[in-house]
Amino acid sequence: MTQESVLHPALIVPVGHVEPVPRRIRAMVGGRIALDTRRAVYVWEWPAYPQFSIPVGDLAEGVLTDDDHAEMLSVGPARRHSLRVGSEVREGAAWVWEQGAPEALHGTVRFKWDALDAWFEEDEPVFVHPRSPYSRVDPLRSSSSVRVELEGTVLADAPQCVKLFETGLPTRYYLDRVHVDLTRLRASDTVTQCPYKGTTSGYWSFDGGDETHEDIAWAYDFPTTHANRIAGMVAFYNEHVDLYVDGTLLPGPAKQGPPPAPSAP
């Protein structure tokens, strides 16, 4: 077991797992409803999160065209299709499962998420990917103090925080802005989305004496209802700063280079 896995629960769903989706799922292309179903299934093509697979018969205004291209995906064989909705055509937007894929996927199609303009679970928009029924996001108020340093500069020093526990990810520490030294940070134009927390309202970078550290902190001013306790607060990447909780330095300080632009910090 690695040091990282000790610090937070691991993901538990195996690749190839299929489960029913007990929610109405819709998606739009060009302002039109491309699909509308209450019979979708989750399929885990990788452990982190599922995709929706939609019964072909539940396409609304969407029409599939076979691209004459077969491929072995992680859970079985599928044929690539393009999607037409009205005058909009999305090339290579979908994969229709074939014999050899799990039986529950037969007669269904898995779409590339970004090939459609918007997705909805019931009447709520969903960003980036479907929410996993096995993942939790728990923001809890905590009396733990948090100090953030980088290249010896104190960027934040908070007497309390909100700890956000998210399945499969390190704990994140959200701090009130009054305890963050924004004069030492540079705002960036980065915007990311998370299916559990919503759309970020800001990212910040730090120009140190040794190097530039891009997008090391972020905030959600208007998070989803699941994460409303972090509204307006700032969090730093544990992995890319020196972060002290109750005076103890967390493992993995800033020695890994700049972080990637994530979809779900």
Side-chain angles (χ1 to χ4, degrees):
M1 183 175 291
T2 66
Q3 184 180 52
E4 184 180 14
S5 66
V6 171
L7 297 178
H8 59 270
L11 299 163
I12 63 172
V13 185
V15 170
H17 188 63
V18 179
E19 291 280 4
V21 177
R23 313 173 186 205
R24 183 185 185 186
I25 303 301
R26 287 175 288 177
M28 301 182 72
V29 171
R32 298 171 181 262
I33 298 293
L35 61 92
D36 186 347
T37 183
R38 300 177 190 272
R39 302 186 298 149
V41 295
Y42 295 115
V43 53
W44 274 262
E45 296 184 52
W46 41 86
Y49 54 84
Q51 293 289 344
F52 293 133
S53 204
I54 309 298
V56 174
D58 288 349
L59 296 183
E61 297 190 44
V63 177
L64 295 174
T65 303
D66 194 332
D67 290 347
D68 194 26
H69 175 82
E71 190 167 328
M72 179 63 71
L73 304 183
S74 61
V75 301
R79 290 185 68 83
R80 192 182 67 200
H81 287 64
S82 294
L83 173 69
R84 177 171 56 81
V85 182
S87 61
E88 297 275 348
V89 177
R90 305 294 164 88
E91 301 287 345
W95 293 94
V96 176
W97 300 102
E98 297 194 301
Q99 292 295 324
E103 185 176 354
L105 297 178
H106 294 176
T108 71
V109 53
R110 194 269 284 165
F111 291 93
K112 292 181 180 178
W113 189 266
D114 292 341
L116 286 82
D117 299 335
W119 289 83
F120 298 87
E121 293 182 354
E122 298 295 339
D123 294 336
E124 298 286 339
V126 187
F127 307 107
V128 186
H129 59 74
R131 301 181 184 101
S132 170
Y134 300 113
S135 293
R136 290 184 61 90
V137 177
D138 295 315
L140 303 179
R141 292 186 299 272
S142 173
S143 58
S144 289
S145 63
V146 176
R147 188 172 80 256
V148 180
E149 298 182 7
L150 193 53
E151 293 189 20
T153 299
V154 177
L155 302 180
D157 196 353
Q160 69 277 319
C161 64
V162 170
K163 295 181 182 180
L164 189 134
F165 302 94
E166 185 169 350
T167 305
L169 293 176
T171 303
R172 300 303 185 191
Y173 301 84
Y174 282 79
L175 314 177
D176 288 311
R177 291 195 192 197
V178 294
H179 302 304
V180 178
D181 191 349
L182 293 173
T183 66
R184 296 185 179 275
L185 298 173
R186 169 174 48 83
S188 85
D189 295 328
T190 300
V191 177
T192 61
Q193 293 180 312
C194 169
Y196 306 101
K197 298 184 291 292
T199 302
T200 56
S201 51
Y203 265 87
W204 292 269
S205 303
F206 175 67
D207 298 318
D210 296 334
E211 61 180 297
T212 296
H213 305 269
E214 296 291 343
D215 293 338
I216 60 169
W218 67 89
Y220 292 91
D221 285 351
F222 304 100
T224 64
T225 55
H226 314 287
N228 58 8
R229 284 181 175 169
I230 66 171
M233 306 182 82
V234 176
F236 290 81
Y237 276 102
N238 314 11
E239 306 92 325
H240 301 285
V241 299
D242 296 311
L243 197 150
Y244 296 81
V245 178
D246 292 327
T248 300
L249 177 64
L250 293 187
K255 295 179 174 129
Q256 303 175 33
S263 60

